[in-house]
Amino acid sequence: MDPAFPKNLPQDSALLIVDLQNDFLPGGALAVADGNHAAFACRRYLDMFAAQAKPIYLSRDWHPPLHYSFVKQGGAWPAHCVVDTQGACFASVLNIPQNAVIISKGTSENKDAYSAFNGTDLDARLKTTKIHHLFVCGLATDYCVRATALDARHLGYEVTVLRDAIAAVNVNVDDGERALQEMRQAGCIIDGFDFERI
Ligand code: VGL
Ligand code: ZN
């Protein structure tokens, strides 16, 4: 465990799990190789935040069947996270509490949203509930986690990226590392409990 990692989470903090959905896990349409590892760590953070009665947010990629980011529509990705499909469901390892807030994104056919803030009411919700510090984990480091963490910084939040609970697509081998650098440069704290090591 990193001794600096807060055992008692800051008063004004929330957990934001980004796109931990079946299609991004091994066996899914757009699988992230190390996704299961991240998923188990996300589960432990979720349990930890729930035990301290901290707010929990989960974003999800929630695309219509003919979304323009899909190869068949001329986009870059195989069809993934189509509304109301098994692939769009949250990873089954998560014990999602009743009061968790779900943020759907990428919901129009001709718009994409890597960031959980893009086209959603996440910022408004966080401001109303006076959340200033976001602990971010989920998938994928080099796309939606990156975009979400950078937007959060631009919007003025303190951001901790939970390094043991993320995983990268790595279209280029070092995309994940580069995304971490960018997030660090934007003032994100890259930290974690490193559950595997305790
Ligand atoms: C994502 C590619 C396409 C992600 C979403 O959640 O990181 N990546 N759509
Ligand atoms: Zn998508």
Side-chain angles (χ1 to χ4, degrees):
M1 172 189 7
D2 188 321
F5 193 81
K7 278 193 208 65
N8 293 309
L9 299 161
Q11 180 65 36
D12 56 355
S13 62
L15 180 67
L16 172 56
I17 302 182
V18 174
D19 300 11
L20 200 72
Q21 295 165 269
N22 292 328
D23 270 341
F24 295 124
L25 293 169
L30 187 38
V32 178
D34 222 11
N36 283 333
H37 188 257
F40 276 96
C42 287
R43 168 203 179 110
R44 298 196 57 176
Y45 284 113
L46 195 158
D47 293 345
M48 179 190 220
F49 276 71
Q52 294 190 35
K54 295 292 180 209
I56 293 162
Y57 292 80
L58 298 102
S59 70
R60 64 181 179 187
D61 225 20
W62 198 242
H63 296 317
L66 301 179
H67 193 250
Y68 87 129
S69 79
F70 298 168
V71 172
K72 274 198 183 143
Q73 277 63 244
W77 304 111
H80 64 277
C81 299
V82 172
V83 170
D84 289 331
T85 60
Q86 184 59 29
C89 292
F90 290 117
S92 55
V93 294
L94 297 178
N95 310 308
I96 302 176
Q98 281 291 324
N99 60 354
V101 178
I102 294 172
I103 304 288
S104 301
K105 63 186 180 63
T107 57
S108 348
E109 225 163 62
N110 57 354
K111 283 200 198 109
D112 210 355
Y114 287 159
S115 164
F117 291 97
N118 188 351
T120 72
D121 62 355
L122 178 57
D123 184 43
R125 281 175 172 275
L126 294 171
K127 297 231 155 91
T128 324
T129 42
K130 303 215 175 345
I131 302 296
H132 296 116
H133 193 145
L134 278 179
F135 288 76
V136 179
C137 59
L139 300 171
T141 311
D142 36 357
Y143 293 92
C144 293
V145 170
R146 170 188 174 278
T148 301
L150 294 179
D151 269 358
R153 288 296 297 147
H154 291 139
L155 291 163
Y157 297 94
E158 296 295 322
V159 176
T160 299
V161 177
L162 297 165
R163 63 183 172 214
D164 54 337
I166 54 177
V169 178
N170 282 334
V171 171
N172 306 299
V173 281
D174 58 349
D175 283 353
E177 270 314 309
R178 287 165 53 155
L180 276 173
Q181 281 300 343
E182 265 183 280
M183 293 189 270
R184 203 177 274 120
Q185 264 158 30
C188 299
I189 304 157
I190 314 292
D191 201 353
F193 232 100
D194 295 336
F195 291 115
E196 290 287 298
R197 295 201 269 123
I198 53 178

